[in-house]
């Protein structure tokens, strides 16, 4: 039942002259868990609502399995939506909540019983069928909302920040659950979030949005390791961004002059990057120099965070660098160290 989704030239502004989505294109595969990731207000929910048919686009078309559904009303699109605030009926039992869409579609009592049982089993809520919604925890309510969405066999499952109301531990647990359910059912799912950890840990692919424009699309690893822009680099993780001037290739490495000295990068596609990214966890701290991409720096301060330490150094050129280490001891303030970074971890950016 899952469909592929093609978005072609979709644009939207609610007010004249204030575009919320610039014309954008996306291809989402059948069975893919696809993320729309971006800061608050960038247009994620608008795009999701356009796919659901709740909001009308100004231009462009949407196809499910190659069929143009742009003119179809929401109820004919066979999508199902899961929201941050669950949107369950408080006076109905869990069973009746999950049955709601099936009843509305005129399914038989037998079909309803079977589909509800299947969906509740999938979200591991079978024992709660007769419970009323207010007696459930937030995490359980979100499982019920998910079961309700899945029960109607949607062509596309749409999730809008579904975990934002849950506390951190439950959120981690539900991430795994939602990813498991989507994969077990081969659901085409479009998942909206501003939380990079959700997108990185769950997604097959991610489209990164900013101000109504897709900045970059790729797998979580691609986006994290090879962001194209400063925005993508910063949105997906911790960064050191250095101004750069390329000085040509040497032994198949790009030689780049930066604020902290000359660096070599294996990434030679962009011959003239104006800046480079070094992620804090890719800087190694040593008391002995190494041959390449090594510079001297003074340790300033650090924070112990349990699983890692966040350290701050000042290079001889005066530039502050953030370094994340998984060691448990903080360094010695005022002491000089050698910092180094492998050429594959010097990532040229486009801006
Ligand atoms: P996101 O989900 O990424 O936070 P939204 O799609 O909700 O972003 O909103 C994008 C922009 O459109 C915001 O500036 C928001 O204020 C505006 N917007 C959203 N819905 C409406 C609406 N119904 N009427 C007018 N402006 C809206
Ligand atoms: Mg939103």
């Amino acid at each position: 039942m899952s469909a592929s989704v093609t978005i072609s030239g979709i644009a939207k502004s609610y007010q004249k002259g204030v575009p919320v989505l610039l014309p954008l294109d996306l291809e989402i595969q059948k069975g893919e868990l696809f993320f729309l990731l971006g800061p608050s207000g960038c247009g994620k929910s608008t795009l999701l609502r356009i796919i659901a048919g709740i909001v009308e686009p100004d231009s462009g078309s949407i196809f499910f399995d190659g069929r143009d559904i742009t003119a179809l009303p929401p109820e004919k699109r066979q999508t199902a939506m899961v929201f941050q605030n669950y949107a369950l009926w408080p006076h109905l039992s869990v069973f009746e909540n999950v049955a709601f869409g099936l009843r509305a579609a005129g399914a038989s009592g037998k079909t309803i019983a079977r589909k509800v049982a299947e969906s509740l089993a999938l979200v591991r809520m079978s024992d709660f069928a007769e419970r009323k919604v207010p007696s459930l925890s937030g995490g359980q309510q979100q499982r019920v909302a998910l079961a309700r969405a899945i029960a109607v066999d949607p062509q596309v499952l749409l999730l809008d920040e579904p975990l934002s109301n849950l506390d951190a531990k439950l959120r981690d647990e539900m991430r795994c659950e939602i990813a498991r359910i989507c994969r077990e059912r081969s659901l085409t799912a479009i998942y909206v979030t501003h939380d990079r950890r959700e997108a990185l840990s769950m997604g097959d692919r991610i489209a990164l949005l900013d101000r109504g424009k897709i900045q970059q699309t790729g797998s979580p690893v691609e986006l994290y390791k090879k962001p194209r822009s400063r925005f993508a680099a910063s949105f997906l993780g911790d960064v050191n961004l250095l101004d750069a001037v390329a000085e040509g290739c040497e032994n198949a490495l790009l030689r780049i002059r930066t604020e902290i000295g000359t660096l070599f990068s294996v990434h030679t596609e962009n011959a003239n990057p104006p800046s480079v990214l070094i992620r804090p966890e890719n800087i190694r701290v040593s008391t002995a120099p190494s041959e390449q991409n090594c510079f001297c720096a003074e340790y300033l301060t650090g924070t112990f965070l349990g699983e890692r330490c966040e350290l701050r150094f000042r290079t001889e050129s005066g530039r502050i660098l953030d370094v994340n280490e998984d060691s448990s001891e903080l360094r010695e303030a005022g002491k000089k160290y050698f910092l180094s970074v492998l050429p594959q971890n010097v990532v040229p950016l486009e801006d």
Side-chain angles (χ1 to χ4, degrees), residues 305-319:
L305 289 169
E307 79 277 17
R308 65 159 200 254
C309 295
E310 292 183 353
L311 311 179
R312 186 150 276 192
F313 288 84
R314 182 168 50 223
T315 67
E316 286 177 331
S317 61
R319 164 79 201 216

Side-chain angles (χ1 to χ4, degrees), residues 9 23 45 47-48 57 73 86 107-108 124-125 133 162 165 188 193 210 218 264 291 310 320 346:
S45 295
L47 182 55
L48 208 65
Y86 326 132
S108 72
R124 303 195 165 132
M125 286 291 288
V133 168
N165 277 350
T188 305
T193 185
D210 185 34
F264 289 90
E291 256 177 41
E310 292 183 353
I320 304 292
V346 177

Side-chain angles (χ1 to χ4, degrees), residues 142-348:
Q142 197 52 296
R143 283 172 192 264
V144 175
L146 200 57
R148 179 183 56 185
I150 291 163
V152 298
D153 285 328
Q155 294 201 75
V156 186
L157 177 65
L158 305 171
L159 304 116
D160 195 347
E161 313 253 6
L163 305 182
S164 298
N165 277 350
L166 304 180
D167 62 51
K169 190 158 182 299
L170 204 52
R171 215 156 48 216
D172 286 353
E173 196 185 305
M174 285 301 288
R175 272 183 206 161
C176 299
E177 281 289 284
I178 293 179
R180 171 186 68 79
I181 289 163
C182 289
R183 298 208 162 102
E184 262 179 36
R185 280 289 189 102
S186 304
L187 290 169
T188 305
I190 306 178
Y191 189 124
V192 160
T193 185
H194 66 276
D195 182 342
R196 66 183 165 89
R197 288 175 201 282
E198 267 171 36
L200 289 173
S201 64
M202 296 172 65
D204 292 319
R205 279 191 308 145
I206 302 169
L208 179 65
L209 259 75
D210 185 34
R211 286 167 290 168
K213 240 175 102 171
I214 294 173
Q215 300 295 319
Q216 193 171 348
T217 306
S219 71
V221 173
E222 275 164 10
L223 252 68
Y224 188 80
K225 295 215 172 216
K226 284 293 297 291
R228 280 206 297 262
S229 62
R230 285 174 172 252
F231 170 78
S234 310
F235 201 81
L236 286 153
D238 296 339
V239 294
N240 294 290
L241 299 170
L242 305 173
D243 291 337
V245 178
E247 297 181 324
C249 271
E250 232 175 86
N251 305 320
L253 297 175
L254 188 62
R255 183 187 163 100
I256 307 163
R257 187 150 48 83
T258 75
E259 304 156 62
I260 60 172
T262 298
L263 294 174
F264 289 90
S265 170
V266 300
H267 307 289
T268 55
E269 312 87 71
N270 176 355
N272 214 350
S275 63
V276 294
L277 159 72
I278 303 173
R279 296 245 182 243
E281 72 273 21
N282 290 329
I283 297 180
R284 271 185 303 186
V285 183
S286 170
T287 49
S290 58
E291 256 177 41
Q292 212 167 38
N293 290 354
C294 182
F295 36 92
C296 194
E298 178 190 347
Y299 173 68
L300 298 177
T301 171
T303 310
F304 174 68
L305 289 169
E307 79 277 17
R308 65 159 200 254
C309 295
E310 292 183 353
L311 311 179
R312 186 150 276 192
F313 288 84
R314 182 168 50 223
T315 67
E316 286 177 331
S317 61
R319 164 79 201 216
I320 304 292
L321 287 179
D322 290 327
V323 177
N324 295 347
E325 273 200 321
D326 57 9
S327 81
S328 57
E329 96 255 44
L330 293 171
R331 301 284 174 169
E332 205 176 307
K335 200 175 156 191
K336 295 261 168 77
Y337 289 91
F338 292 99
L339 305 184
S340 64
V341 52
L342 296 172
Q344 62 262 39
N345 293 324
V346 177
V347 183

Side-chain angles (χ1 to χ4, degrees), residues 49-99:
R49 290 191 193 117
I50 289 173
I51 297 168
I54 313 163
V55 167
E56 202 181 325
D58 299 339
S59 61
S61 306
I62 297 176
F63 303 85
F64 288 176
D65 274 343
R67 200 163 66 96
D68 189 341
I69 55 104
T70 320
L72 286 186
E75 64 278 9
K76 295 246 168 83
R77 295 190 182 195
Q78 289 178 271
T79 64
M81 182 98 88
V82 179
F83 304 93
Q84 176 176 343
N85 61 5
Y86 326 132
L88 298 170
W89 301 103
H91 59 289
L92 295 182
S93 68
V94 165
F95 183 98
E96 285 304 327
N97 265 283
V98 178

